[in-house]
Amino acid sequence: MSRYGRADSEWDELTDAGRGFLVERAKLGRLTSYTELNVTLARRTGCRPFDFERADERAAMGYLLGLIVERDQELAPSDPPLMLSALVNYLGANDAGAGFYQLAKELRLLPMSASADEKLGFWAEQVKRIHARHGAGPTGA
């Protein structure tokens, strides 16, 4: 079966490479951007990069981030669950994208009626816990 024009085997490869990259960023106490993630995935896997000019390709990146969250929870379960995708934001932005918050709602980690402040607080706590899980210090080093 193929989703967004990519075979299941490609999604598996992208998921593993994406999770690996985000864990690396977490160990450094850093965030990343969609652009940096996209370039890194293409370089590490040889898969075609996502074309962010197209709505379906942006949705495909969101789908991939959901897969990464699932895989991370399988490999490193936590309670409450951590969303490794919290480390990915838009260039120049200081929080996650709308898809992150939607997934958090679907996973029942965030109320459906969450305010902007609740969303930002949830995101910040996720980032803090992810960095702590991977040994990043409070200064981001």
Side-chain angles (χ1 to χ4, degrees):
M1 181 171 163
S2 112
R3 290 184 189 232
Y4 298 103
R6 295 176 191 257
D8 287 345
S9 59
E10 188 173 355
W11 285 116
D12 286 342
E13 187 176 4
L14 289 166
T15 300
D16 288 339
R19 181 183 180 273
F21 176 66
L22 293 180
V23 167
E24 290 169 16
R25 300 308 289 171
K27 287 178 179 178
L28 294 171
R30 299 241 187 330
L31 302 175
T32 190
S33 67
Y34 287 95
T35 302
E36 182 180 34
L37 176 60
N38 193 29
V39 168
T40 301
L41 288 172
R43 187 178 69 246
R44 290 185 181 184
T45 67
C47 296
R48 70 175 166 80
F50 293 90
D51 179 358
F52 295 145
E53 297 293 315
R54 295 177 36 187
D56 62 327
E57 289 283 293
R58 292 189 302 273
M61 175 60 86
Y63 175 72
L64 173 61
L65 290 170
L67 293 175
I68 290 170
V69 168
E70 279 181 27
R71 179 77 45 87
D72 188 58
Q73 191 60 25
E74 291 168 5
L75 298 174
S78 60
D79 188 25
L82 288 174
M83 295 178 62
L84 197 54
S85 62
L87 300 182
V88 184
N89 58 21
Y90 296 109
L91 280 174
N94 197 24
D95 74 338
F100 169 79
Y101 297 114
Q102 184 58 41
L103 181 57
K105 290 175 183 180
E106 290 170 13
L107 295 173
R108 299 175 190 232
L109 300 175
L110 194 61
M112 287 294 184
S113 61
S115 68
D117 285 345
E118 288 173 314
K119 289 176 182 178
L120 190 58
F122 172 78
W123 170 77
E125 184 62 24
Q126 285 283 307
V127 170
K128 178 181 166 186
R129 289 181 54 224
I130 290 165
H131 285 165
R133 177 175 82 178
H134 293 285
T139 60

